[in-house]
Amino acid sequence: MRSRRILSAILVAGALLAAACGADDDGDTAAPEPAPTEAPSTEAADPEPVEEPEPTDEPAPAEEPEPAETPSVALVANQKAGDLGPIDDLVRGLEMVEADFGADITFIEATDPSTFETTLRNLANQGTDIIAVTFPPMQDAVVAVAPDFPDTRWIHIFGFEGGVDNLVSIGFDYYKGTYLAGILAGALNTTGKVGFVGGVSIPPLNADYNAFVAAAQTKNSAITGEAAFADSFEDPAKGRELGAALYDGGVDIIMTDAAATDLGVIQAAEEKGGYVIGGSENYFDSPNVIASVLLYWAEILHAQVEHAISDDYTPGYVGAGVAEGGVDMVISPNFLENGPAEMVDIINATLGEVDEARSAIKDGSLEVPFNPEL
């Protein structure tokens, strides 16, 4: 990592001292009478004895080690904090980086795509050691900028495989987590229809929806799915509108995949008596949230920064899905304790099947299809 030491120099100035001479009554300068001097002695003086230092067994004092370098780490998010979801969790991960590695941290919300590249270049020009960016919309910017700053180490969270020499790209295989959620939704479904609200219709989210419905159909092949997209990950009002429409159309359980937009879907569930499988543990306070498919954002960011500051740094693509422990479905403790008894009984009866599917995904015996088409 580049050194951030600041060198300072201390300048020492010396002053010359001169003795002032007095003046006589006539104003002439009087030269002082020379002091009498003695002739030097011709006898040689005996040299003073030099004492040898006492031997000691004490080791020489060790040199003070140089202070460890402080890495600078920036997180650039293309969505705003305050979503009770991925961005808030990533900010928590950045704070973990500060606490554990003594890093100098920076968090930037870059919500305007036209600023992505400029923001990244400014950070790199300032000498930032590690720059992490979020989600597919920032892909083009980081791929354009990273090669120009080979001494900076880049992390793309929820990125794609690429060939940039100083970039680690992390993929989450979230669709395998929504498959686990689909098993649960299919077991609980009573209307023959399940719903999905996504932020934007892009291949990864389309695959999340398809895996969710496919798993629900393993419980009942007659179940159909309906997807709605808000065209935003930061629009709770739109999430509420879409959620209400799905519940009114006969959906009883909605899988959300829309960050802050999820909050509106949860509100619609509470108003309409529907249920949600969300994307954050922060949603568990709602009595209508059954479970969440979690991405361990904070832990992944922390682990990749630790990798970036290590001597074993290796760029490339890193999988962080169900098999690697980066994605999982977690049942809401609040729902298990306070939800309708008949639903809780079904959940408990289905957990064994969910565990089997999770294990099969991990050992490769269950291949969940990645289907990006709607």
Side-chain angles (χ1 to χ4, degrees):
M1 313 303 288
R2 290 184 298 283
S3 173
R4 303 208 175 281
R5 300 188 187 92
I6 300 173
L7 302 179
S8 58
I10 302 174
L11 301 179
V12 179
L16 299 177
L17 302 177
C21 298
D24 61 14
D25 293 340
D26 298 326
D28 296 326
T29 301
E33 292 291 331
T37 59
E38 295 182 3
S41 172
T42 58
E43 296 181 4
D46 292 332
E48 300 241 348
V50 178
E51 293 186 4
E52 294 291 332
E54 292 285 335
T56 177
D57 293 330
E58 294 183 8
E63 293 184 5
E64 288 291 328
E66 292 189 9
E69 296 177 22
T70 299
S72 54
V73 181
L75 170 65
V76 183
N78 64 310
Q79 297 169 199
K80 294 179 180 178
D83 61 354
L84 299 181
I87 304 304
D88 284 358
D89 210 28
L90 284 167
V91 171
R92 180 173 66 86
L94 190 64
E95 292 168 349
M96 290 164 55
V97 164
E98 180 184 37
D100 292 348
F101 308 132
D104 179 10
I105 62 171
T106 301
F107 171 63
I108 297 175
E109 293 175 344
T111 58
D112 181 354
S114 68
T115 67
F116 289 172
E117 188 168 332
T118 301
T119 299
L120 300 185
R121 287 192 183 279
N122 287 343
L123 283 169
N125 277 320
Q126 291 165 14
T128 307
D129 294 312
I130 301 166
I131 301 175
V133 305
T134 61
F135 309 151
M138 299 198 75
Q139 177 83 10
D140 290 344
V142 72
V143 169
V145 175
D148 295 340
F149 298 92
D151 292 333
T152 300
R153 293 180 176 177
W154 301 80
I155 301 169
H156 187 192
I157 299 164
F158 221 141
F160 301 101
E161 297 187 42
V164 182
D165 290 341
N166 54 334
L167 171 67
V168 171
S169 186
I170 306 163
F172 285 98
D173 291 344
Y174 193 68
Y175 69 101
K176 296 179 182 178
T178 65
Y179 184 89
L180 299 178
I183 295 173
L184 189 65
L188 291 167
N189 179 256
T190 60
T191 65
K193 184 185 289 188
V194 293
F196 179 92
V197 173
V200 179
S201 178
I202 55 176
L205 270 70
N206 296 346
D208 296 342
Y209 163 71
N210 287 325
F212 175 68
V213 175
Q217 290 171 342
T218 65
K219 302 301 296 179
N220 178 357
S221 61
I223 290 175
T224 61
E226 185 173 348
F229 294 90
D231 293 327
S232 172
F233 291 92
E234 301 176 86
D235 192 347
K238 187 65 174 180
R240 181 184 180 189
E241 175 189 329
L242 294 176
L246 288 173
Y247 291 126
D248 287 343
V251 165
D252 59 353
I253 299 172
I254 296 175
M255 172 80 218
T256 62
D257 196 355
T261 301
D262 293 356
L263 300 175
V265 181
I266 294 170
Q267 185 177 2
E270 293 171 351
E271 292 168 350
K272 298 289 186 177
Y275 295 97
V276 171
I277 298 177
S280 172
E281 288 179 306
N282 292 320
Y283 301 161
F284 289 166
D285 286 342
S286 171
N288 296 71
V289 173
I290 299 168
S292 282
V293 178
L294 302 180
L295 288 170
Y296 293 101
W297 305 102
E299 290 74 14
I300 290 293
L301 177 62
H302 182 276
Q304 288 306 317
V305 169
E306 184 174 23
H307 172 236
I309 63 179
S310 75
D311 294 333
D312 298 324
Y313 172 76
T314 305
Y317 180 80
V318 176
V322 172
E324 297 83 8
V327 177
D328 201 5
M329 185 189 70
V330 177
I331 308 298
S332 166
N334 181 34
F335 195 86
L336 287 177
E337 184 175 349
N338 300 305
E342 63 276 14
M343 294 184 72
V344 172
D345 288 343
I346 293 171
I347 291 172
N348 288 327
T350 309
L351 288 180
E353 186 176 347
V354 172
D355 289 341
E356 288 178 7
R358 182 186 293 111
S359 297
I361 290 171
K362 289 181 177 181
D363 66 24
S365 60
L366 173 58
E367 185 63 38
V368 179
F370 180 87
N371 179 4
E373 303 295 330
L374 290 180

